[in-house]
Amino acid sequence: MASAAEELDAVVVGAGFAGLYMLHRLRGQGLSVKVFEAGADVGGTWYWNRYPGARCDVDSLNYSYSFDPDLEQDWEWTEKYASQPEIHAYLRHVADRHDLRRDIVLRTRVTAAVFDEDTARWTVRTDGGHEVSARFCIMATGCLSTPKFPEVPGLERFSGPWYHTARWPEDDPGFRGQRLGVIGTGSSGVQAIPFLAGQASELTVFQRTPNFVFPAFNGPIDRSVVAETKAHYREARTAARHSLFGVAMDMPTQSALEVSDDERRAVYQECWDRGHVFALVQSFTDLIFDAGSNETAAEFLREKVRDRVDDPELARKLEPRGYPFATKRPCLDTGYYETYNREHVHLVDLREEDLVEITAKGVLTTEREYEFDSLVIATGFDAMTGALLAVDIRGRDGVALRDKWRDGPETYLGVAVAGFPNLFTITGPGSPSVFGNMIVSIEQHVEWIGDLVDHMARHDRSVVEAVDTAEKEWTEHVRAVSDATLLPRADSFYLGANVPGKPRVFMPYVGGVGPYRAKCDEVAGNGYEGFVLR
Ligand code: N01
């Protein structure tokens, strides 16, 4: 254990993609840094989400660090979309390659961070009894890291074992021959269900909202694409950084309503065949702006459900309806719908019967009790703010972040908060974050924060704080940009709508990864306008 009030330049909370690179970056700038990580290993998301079938929905060559050109060349991805074990192995490799582990304290959760105005330092405390003092406190806690559980009571009464997809045990439990219940059909459920169906003797899925799901067409990585990308990685990375979603793609030029039905179908089919989450979203200019255009894509995808599911009544239940396409994160699948053609797989439509409680034997709905040997909870996350507010963060005048954000998060650029000097939130609310390729957004924030810290050192400044008016303007801009789209029309985790009582505020910045980067660069170029440096 660290000695009381060990003095550091920076504390980083979390050792996932963001925390590892932040440590590397600040250490390279000569700062003393310590990382606290709750998990038993580095990896963040890719440590915790080890459920069967877990894999990335951004292609491997894009979902990787760009900061180390040698790593980029050395590392060999095996699949188009990497699995959890492969991404975890990659992050473990990065930690070793850059000798990061010596400054990472594992199995240790940060519980509080308090700013002292007299010393202009943060005191950071952990559940392991650490107390450290640091000039900078950097939250690399991830956007999807605080699990959300079903609201109904009784989970503790269930007599069998249960597992949340985001807290999967290191030793995979396996469900061979068991009656298994799964609650939730977001990306985690959609990925896990085909694998779980391969184990369980009876699998029952409780679906509240059917998702838009299309095939990943995953497989061994195309070696010619690898060679081509590696030969031009710098250009590819630059293009990704300036793109809409952090993955370089051709920009559409037409509305979905400007073309004939046949042309539109051909475009959708081509995107479908690519098995790419953003391709379909970006196939026409107006899919996330115009309900009529959006409906054409939605109907195309519903038709595919009908093609893939044998029983028409079951297909009807699985067809996504009631919210526009892409207003909840669409899912990439491998055999998801086909799984429902298997005799031992059953669907309970929670729009027709409500969940009442978890009982000792299983799940009680308004229709009947379903009995299970084990349960899988795939109900997602308290997204974006959950992990930040889990820590008791107190800024100037002892103000708690939990109080400041009572009506929803307010940030300047999603990276800083007025009243909380020298605190940074990597991919915080108000930045593109979950609305694109996380790694591109993480690297951008890490580098921007690193540059700011360097700027402060060169200009003999020790404290930086977002200005209240700049924060208000940015928060309003984030809201206005999302309000111009269809995105707030779904009860999504982007809006906090999946967590009862959470303020209904659209959290990611949806103006695009490239334009957002340009804005951050402009702020820095103008001497960090919107910040006070003391
Ligand atoms: O979580 P989710 P997730 N009773 O919130 C349902 C990333 N990710 O873990 O839609 C019954 O999407 C809920 O229903 P509803 C990715 O960004 C990426 O699956 O709220 N059901 C929904 O069906 C993704 O978007 C990958 O009505 C309840 C499900 O549970 C994000 O993580 C893989 C319920 C939760 O879906 C979150 O995905 C996995 C209740 N009380 C995750 N509460 C990649 O591929 C919730 N639900 C990279």
Side-chain angles (χ1 to χ4, degrees):
M1 189 185 298
S3 59
E6 180 188 359
E7 300 251 326
L8 297 161
D9 291 321
V11 162
V12 175
V13 187
F17 265 99
L20 292 178
Y21 184 28
M22 195 77 247
L23 165 61
H24 175 66
R25 173 78 187 210
L26 291 181
R27 204 202 253 169
Q29 291 177 208
L31 274 72
S32 58
V33 188
K34 183 160 276 183
V35 179
F36 292 109
E37 164 58 55
D41 198 356
V42 300
T45 285
W46 299 104
Y47 167 78
W48 294 107
N49 290 266
R50 51 179 65 234
Y51 57 85
R55 69 175 62 251
C56 193
D57 63 0
V58 174
D59 66 281
S60 313
L61 291 165
N62 272 302
Y63 194 85
S64 52
Y65 286 123
S66 71
F67 74 83
D68 177 347
D70 293 333
L71 168 70
E72 213 168 54
Q73 295 297 327
D74 295 349
W75 188 265
E76 294 293 348
W77 296 104
T78 65
E79 291 180 280
K80 173 183 169 190
Y81 294 113
S83 65
Q84 177 273 332
E86 191 164 3
I87 303 175
H88 192 215
Y90 172 78
L91 287 170
R92 290 170 55 87
H93 170 76
V94 170
D96 295 335
R97 183 181 180 104
H98 291 287
D99 189 22
L100 300 178
R101 289 183 190 271
R102 65 183 155 91
D103 288 323
I104 300 173
V105 184
L106 296 171
R107 296 186 182 84
T108 304
R109 190 173 286 281
V110 168
T111 52
V114 179
F115 185 70
D116 178 342
E117 279 180 69
D118 293 337
T119 58
R121 296 182 74 84
W122 284 91
T123 301
V124 174
R125 297 192 182 88
T126 77
D127 63 0
H130 302 82
E131 180 171 312
V132 297
S133 163
R135 279 179 56 217
F136 298 102
C137 178
I138 301 168
M139 302 301 288
T141 38
C143 297
L144 298 160
S145 40
T146 300
K148 191 214 100 135
F149 291 84
E151 292 73 33
V152 294
L155 193 52
E156 72 290 348
R157 263 179 285 146
F158 180 58
S159 57
W162 58 266
Y163 308 92
H164 194 294
T165 46
R167 288 291 179 272
W168 207 259
E170 293 201 20
D171 292 329
D172 185 49
F175 303 102
R176 202 145 300 284
Q178 292 192 19
R179 297 164 305 166
L180 181 64
V182 179
I183 304 176
T185 54
S187 300
S188 305
V190 163
Q191 287 185 337
I193 284 162
F195 284 83
L196 299 174
Q199 301 174 0
S201 60
E202 295 292 327
L203 180 76
T204 303
V205 177
F206 293 85
Q207 168 192 267
R208 189 163 71 179
T209 309
N211 249 303
F212 287 95
V213 179
F214 38 99
F217 296 117
N218 190 37
I221 200 160
D222 182 335
R223 288 287 145 204
S224 65
V225 174
V226 175
E228 175 65 18
T229 305
K230 287 192 173 181
H232 304 283
Y233 233 142
R234 300 274 53 80
E235 294 94 308
R237 299 296 198 182
T238 302
R241 287 182 192 129
H242 296 284
S243 67
L244 204 50
F245 295 115
V247 179
M249 270 188 301
D250 292 339
M251 290 298 283
T253 53
Q254 286 181 301
S255 155
L257 302 179
E258 266 172 8
V259 299
S260 71
D261 289 355
D262 285 349
E263 284 173 278
R264 192 166 50 236
R265 254 199 97 71
V267 170
Y268 289 150
Q269 186 61 46
E270 194 266 327
C271 292
W272 167 278
D273 292 339
R274 282 169 66 187
H276 190 301
V277 80
F278 302 123
L280 223 128
V281 183
Q282 227 178 288
S283 58
F284 290 102
T285 52
D286 54 351
L287 290 187
I288 64 160
F289 296 103
D290 183 278
S293 290
N294 188 288
E295 180 56 20
T296 63
E299 191 44 36
F300 173 85
L301 291 167
R302 288 186 206 116
E303 216 181 291
K304 294 289 192 188
V305 180
R306 297 194 284 273
D307 289 347
R308 295 173 69 186
V309 178
D310 298 340
D311 174 357
E313 178 55 16
L314 192 53
R316 183 188 63 75
K317 292 181 180 178
L318 287 162
E319 280 176 31
R321 290 192 187 276
Y323 63 98
F325 164 62
T327 53
K328 281 170 172 279
R329 170 82 170 218
C331 310
L332 287 187
D333 81 295
T334 299
Y336 176 64
Y337 289 117
E338 290 75 9
T339 300
Y340 291 95
N341 295 331
R342 303 181 68 175
E343 275 198 1
H344 70 297
V345 178
H346 319 286
L347 183 76
V348 176
D349 185 348
L350 294 177
R351 292 164 304 175
E352 294 178 356
E353 54 194 285
D354 284 337
L355 273 188
V356 176
E357 61 179 328
I358 316 281
T359 64
K361 290 182 183 164
V363 174
L364 181 70
T365 71
T366 41
E367 289 297 310
R368 55 166 278 203
E369 186 175 28
Y370 298 83
E371 294 188 9
F372 300 115
D373 299 309
S374 301
L375 275 178
V376 170
I377 311 294
T379 44
F381 301 90
D382 179 354
M384 304 208 64
T385 53
L388 293 170
L389 297 181
V391 179
D392 185 11
I393 301 177
R394 291 179 185 261
R396 275 196 294 109
D397 305 321
V399 171
L401 190 63
R402 288 170 188 160
D403 289 331
K404 169 155 177 150
W405 285 4
R406 198 164 290 282
D407 297 326
E410 294 188 337
T411 67
Y412 184 38
L413 302 173
V415 74
V417 184
F420 296 76
N422 290 5
L423 176 86
F424 299 112
T425 53
I426 299 179
T427 65
S431 72
S433 58
V434 287
F435 216 73
N437 179 356
M438 283 298 297
I439 312 311
V440 171
S441 291
I442 284 170
E443 287 197 321
Q444 186 242 337
H445 267 183
V446 166
E447 288 160 14
W448 193 89
I449 294 165
D451 288 347
L452 171 52
V453 167
D454 186 51
H455 173 93
M456 291 170 70
R458 282 186 287 108
H459 293 82
D460 200 20
R461 299 280 187 271
S462 57
V463 180
V464 60
E465 183 180 347
V467 174
D468 200 45
T469 48
E471 178 176 275
K472 286 204 160 43
E473 273 172 33
W474 180 254
T475 302
E476 175 52 28
H477 175 63
V478 171
R479 191 190 61 75
V481 172
S482 67
D483 277 356
T485 72
L486 303 171
L487 289 160
R489 294 199 190 179
D491 288 338
S492 64
F493 66 75
Y494 301 137
L495 253 188
N498 63 330
V499 176
K502 191 165 171 171
R504 208 178 158 92
V505 172
F506 199 89
M507 294 179 283
Y509 177 61
V510 295
V513 165
Y516 170 80
R517 171 183 291 270
K519 170 68 185 172
C520 291
D521 289 349
E522 181 189 305
V523 164
N526 291 338
Y528 294 95
E529 102 191 293
F531 288 93
V532 174
L533 291 130
R534 293 190 289 273

